[in-house]
C-alpha cells in the first residue's frame, strides 16, 4: 500500500487500553502510538514484533504516531489500521494484485445493494463478465 509519506519502523513493546501502543524506534526512543484497531488483536500485537507507524504533522493531535502495519514472527504482514482496509483492497484491484478480480472494466465503492439498500464495499463490472460484489 502506498502511504502519503514514509512509515517509521519500530519494535512493539506493548499494546494497552485498546487505543495505545508503546513502540521503540530505531534510535532507542520510546513513543506512544495511536492504535486505530479496537479489536482484541489476538496474534497481531506480540511484544518484539516489528511495526510501522505513520507520523502526523497535526499539532492538535495528542499522539504524533499511528500504528499502521505489523510484521509477525512468521513473516506475515498485518494491516492494523482498519480505516485503510478498503483503500488497500482498491489499490490491489487496480494493480491486478488479486488474480480472481483481474479484467473488470469498472470499480465502484460503497454501492447500494438490495431492497435494504445496504452498502457493498466494491462493485466490479465488465460487459463480458458477471457483476462482482
Amino acid at each position: 500500500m502506498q502511504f502519503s509519506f514514509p512509515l517509521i519502523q519500530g519494535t512493539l513493546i506493548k499494546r494497552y487500553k485498546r487505543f495505545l501502543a508503546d513502540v521503540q524506534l530505531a534510535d532507542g526512543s520510546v513513543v506512544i502510538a495511536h492504535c486505530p484497531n479496537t479489536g482484541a488483536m489476538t496474534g497481531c500485537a506480540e511484544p518484539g514484533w516489528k511495526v510501522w507507524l505513520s507520523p502526523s504533522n497535526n499539532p492538535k493531535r495528542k499522539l504524533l504516531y499511528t500504528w499502521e502495519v505489523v510484521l509477525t514472527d512468521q513473516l506475515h504482514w498485518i494491516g492494523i489500521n482498519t480505516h485503510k482496509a478498503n483503500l488497500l483492497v482498491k489499490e490491489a484491484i487496480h494493480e491486478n494484485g488479486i488474480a480472481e478480480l483481474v479484467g473488470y472494466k469498472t470499480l465502484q465503492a460503497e454501492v447500494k445493494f438490495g431492497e435494504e439498500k445496504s452498502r457493498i464495499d466494491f462493485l466490479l463490472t465488465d460487459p463480458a463478465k458477471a457483476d462482482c460484489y
Side-chain angles (χ1 to χ4, degrees):
M1 170 162 209
Q2 297 297 316
F3 288 87
S4 55
F5 32 77
L7 299 181
I8 298 167
Q9 183 180 343
T11 302
L12 181 65
I13 298 172
K14 66 179 177 178
R15 176 193 182 226
Y16 54 102
K17 294 184 181 179
R18 285 187 17 205
F19 296 105
L20 303 175
D22 288 343
V23 175
Q24 184 174 17
L25 303 180
D27 66 3
S29 64
V30 175
V31 299
I32 301 172
H34 171 67
C35 179
N37 189 323
T38 60
M41 290 181 54
T42 304
C44 299
E46 297 298 322
W49 285 359
K50 296 297 178 199
V51 299
W52 281 261
L53 311 175
S54 61
S56 173
N57 57 6
N58 181 350
K60 295 181 181 180
R61 239 183 100 152
K62 288 183 181 180
L63 300 175
L64 298 179
Y65 300 96
T66 299
W67 183 5
E68 300 289 350
V69 181
V70 64
L71 179 62
T72 72
D73 59 354
Q74 299 292 312
L75 303 180
H76 297 137
W77 293 92
I78 301 171
I80 298 301
N81 190 339
T82 56
H83 304 285
K84 302 266 171 83
N86 280 0
L87 294 173
L88 176 65
V89 172
K90 185 176 181 180
E91 185 176 302
I93 291 170
H94 280 300
E95 294 182 4
N96 297 323
I98 304 172
E100 296 82 2
L101 303 179
V102 170
Y104 284 90
K105 297 289 182 200
T106 63
L107 180 149
Q108 294 174 278
E110 297 293 323
V111 176
K112 290 181 182 176
F113 179 80
E115 291 178 19
E116 302 85 14
K117 301 295 183 200
S118 298
R119 291 198 180 266
I120 302 298
D121 291 331
F122 298 106
L123 168 60
L124 301 169
T125 59
D126 186 275
K129 298 181 178 198
D131 290 352
C132 179
Y133 290 89

